[in-house]
Amino acid sequence: MPTRLPPRRRAVFVSDVHLGSKHCHAAEFADFLGGLRCDRLYLVGDIVDLWWMAQRRAAWGNAQHRVIEALHKLRRDGTELIYVPGNHDRPIRRFCGLSLPRMAIRRRAIHVTADGRRLLVTHGDDYDGITHFGGFQERFGDWLYYRILTGNQLYNRLRRRMGRRYWSLSEFLKSRSGAAERYINRFVQAGIDDAVRRGLDGIVCGHIHRAGLLRRDGCIYANDGDWVESLTALAEDPDGTLRLLAHTGETLAELPPTGILPATLSHAA
């Protein structure tokens, strides 16, 4: 019986892999990339965690090598890679504007869907000045967050031994925090406001480690999530349908197209 090929995507967006940090789910990300067929792959920041690697001992092994090999294979097979650096891989921003064979580095980009919608593609750390309040509370929140991630990692290690699927303990805890929900809402609104100011139809981003796909006041907000907690990606189908995907490939949320219009994929913003 022939092997069934995965669906071909027009574009796929991933961010916040944090490759090199101890909380990265590199094996799951490598498996996801290995089953991917797409015309264009956007790497929307914090792919390699240069900040972690400079501050702490890098976590790098076979799974991390598999990620790099999978990205090279996608490029060899014809997928175009667009790298939009974030705050944890900020040094790569020095190379924004660089174009290589089937790969480009951009500070931000505009992706045009098959039905003509124009989406700003940016990591999202530009909105920190609006969404962060600073001070002791924020520093304590960062400290607590990394402890929660460690607990999430240990908890899912136990679930794997029991033959159970991945479940984000950290995401569950954040969803029950009123402060976290208010921060996420401020971030969503900041991204939408930015897209509207630019005369665009929506935004694709990452940064906050909370996947989401919604339409607010006629504007699309798409957050592709991360590979530390949610293990998700955003995909565009050939007809312009946007899908939030789990690492297993199942659809978690979707937005239908508005109608088919001729469109090129994107250009720099």
Side-chain angles (χ1 to χ4, degrees), residues 25-46:
H25 289 265
E28 289 87 344
F29 187 54
D31 291 342
F32 176 81
L33 292 176
L36 200 58
R37 296 196 310 142
C38 62
D39 298 332
R40 178 168 287 180
L41 174 62
Y42 287 90
L43 304 169
V44 194
D46 289 3

Side-chain angles (χ1 to χ4, degrees), residues 233-250:
L234 179 75
E236 183 200 354
D237 290 350
D239 67 351
T241 298
L242 296 175
R243 298 180 185 276
L244 190 61
L245 301 177
H247 70 284
T248 54
E250 62 187 289

Side-chain angles (χ1 to χ4, degrees), residues 129-185:
I130 301 171
T131 59
H132 286 198
F133 293 147
F136 171 77
Q137 185 177 8
E138 187 168 308
R139 292 195 299 273
F140 175 74
D142 289 341
W143 176 87
L144 181 61
Y145 175 65
Y146 278 100
R147 299 307 179 273
I148 291 173
L149 288 183
T150 299
N152 183 68
Q153 196 171 42
L154 295 173
Y155 177 70
N156 277 286
R157 193 175 297 164
L158 177 62
R159 286 180 66 90
R160 281 196 300 271
R161 289 176 181 172
M162 297 171 64
R164 297 185 178 181
R165 299 178 64 181
Y166 176 83
W167 182 76
S168 180
L169 172 64
S170 52
E171 178 66 19
F172 173 79
L173 293 174
K174 282 200 305 184
S175 69
R176 265 105 186 123
S177 165
E181 291 301 312
R182 288 191 295 274
Y183 161 73
I184 290 166
N185 189 61

Side-chain angles (χ1 to χ4, degrees), residues 95-111:
F95 303 102
C96 286
L98 180 66
S99 294
L100 302 170
R102 303 209 69 80
M103 181 174 179
I105 302 174
R106 299 287 182 264
R107 181 65 179 82
R108 59 185 63 84
I110 294 174
H111 175 76

Side-chain angles (χ1 to χ4, degrees), residues 214-230:
L214 56 92
R215 186 181 285 109
R216 180 184 291 182
D217 298 328
C219 191
I220 293 169
Y221 171 82
N223 193 305
D224 56 37
D226 64 280
W227 292 84
V228 171
E229 299 178 65
S230 59

